Amino acid sequence: MGRYYNGDIEGKFWFGLQSSDAADRFGYEGTTTHLDYYFDEDELPTVEAEIKSIEESIDVQKIDDFFDTNDRYNDGSLRDANITEAELSQYADLYLGRQIRDCIKKTGECNFTAEL
């Protein structure tokens, strides 16, 4: 059973790596029973700054290359690729941040609900 987010953007949180409030780090705090997020063009600089921060903190290309040839992972395959759980968690948040950014750029806002 997974936890999903839906609205202007949709996806599934990474099991065991990504919390339901992962979008909080991009500048907007969700609500309690479920997390409602609303971003608009005013938040775009904050979203882009956090994306840049994540990109500078991990080797994005190494993880991109891993997923170019793997559609799933386990502890062993991550260890073989020299990817830590912390890096993978950051990578999952980077994916979410890019979705938020792209949605804002396309429509001027991004609104979604995340399951807890």
Side-chain angles (χ1 to χ4, degrees), residues 56-74:
E56 291 172 350
S57 73
I58 61 173
D59 185 347
V60 176
Q61 189 60 54
K62 173 180 71 173
I63 303 171
D64 282 343
D65 291 346
F66 175 81
F67 283 113
D68 283 345
T69 58
N70 296 280
D71 59 353
R72 60 183 63 117
Y73 63 90
N74 59 40

Side-chain angles (χ1 to χ4, degrees), residues 15-30:
F15 179 78
L17 289 172
Q18 194 174 29
S19 67
S20 295
D21 64 354
D24 282 1
R25 74 186 293 180
F26 298 99
Y28 185 88
E29 211 168 293

Side-chain angles (χ1 to χ4, degrees), residues 5-10 28 35-40 99-100 103-104 107-114:
Y5 52 94
N6 56 62
D8 289 338
I9 60 173
E10 296 182 355
Y28 185 88
L35 301 174
D36 291 320
Y37 288 98
Y38 176 80
F39 297 88
D40 63 23
Q99 281 187 292
I100 294 167
C103 182
I104 294 169
T107 67
E109 63 184 14
C110 182
N111 181 32
F112 62 98
T113 300

Side-chain angles (χ1 to χ4, degrees), residues 37-49:
Y37 288 98
Y38 176 80
F39 297 88
D40 63 23
E41 292 172 334
D42 292 339
E43 283 85 37
L44 188 57
T46 303
V47 172
E48 289 179 328

